[in-house]
């Protein structure tokens, strides 16, 4: 496993916690997660999408994410990745 992928996967797991989720969105991690949606490695894209899905679960983060430019990046993702992440998000409880 690559360092980038492993780091993003760790952040993905941590971002499930709502308090950490809010803190993460206010750091340089948010723009990095958005940027990594364009990475060539599908596992890096998936981990970045997972982080963003967890961040989006908190209404507090919505404006921050929109201002950071997440919507155009998500629109460009392959449909299967988006559907997979949102399916996980809505069925995780």
């Amino acid at each position: 496993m690559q360092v980038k992928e492993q780091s993003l996967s760790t952040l993905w797991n941590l971002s499930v916690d709502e308090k950490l989720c809010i803190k993460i969105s206010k750091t340089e991690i948010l723009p990095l997660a958005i940027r990594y949606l364009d990475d060539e490695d599908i596992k890096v894209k998936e981990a970045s999408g997972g982080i963003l899905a967890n961040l989006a679960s908190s209404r507090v983060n919505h404006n921050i994410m929109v201002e950071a430019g997440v919507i155009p990046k998500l629109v460009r993702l392959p449909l299967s990745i988006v559907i997979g992440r949102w399916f996980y998000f809505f069925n995780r409880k």
Side-chain angles (χ1 to χ4, degrees), residues 56-68:
S57 69
S58 174
R59 293 185 74 90
V60 173
N61 291 334
H62 290 179
N63 286 339
I64 295 167
M65 294 179 73
V66 170
E67 289 173 11

Side-chain angles (χ1 to χ4, degrees), residues 12-44:
W12 185 3
N13 289 332
L14 292 171
S15 67
V16 173
D17 181 290
E18 188 168 349
K19 291 179 184 176
L20 290 176
C21 173
I22 293 168
K23 288 182 182 181
I24 289 170
S25 70
K26 295 178 181 179
T27 68
E28 64 276 356
I29 295 168
L30 177 59
L32 281 176
I34 294 170
R35 185 170 0 139
Y36 287 149
L37 291 173
D38 291 330
D39 198 273
E40 293 179 11
D41 186 341
I42 191 70
K43 291 182 180 182
V44 170

Side-chain angles (χ1 to χ4, degrees), residues 18 57 87-93:
E18 188 168 349
S57 69
F87 179 79
Y88 168 78
F89 171 74
F90 286 112
N91 292 296
R92 67 183 178 161
K93 295 183 179 184

Side-chain angles (χ1 to χ4, degrees), residues 42 45-46 49 74-88:
I42 191 70
K45 285 183 181 187
E46 182 179 15
L74 290 174
V75 169
R76 286 183 234 140
L77 276 178
L79 188 57
S80 61
I81 294 174
V82 173
I83 290 171
R85 292 300 342 127
W86 288 111
F87 179 79
Y88 168 78

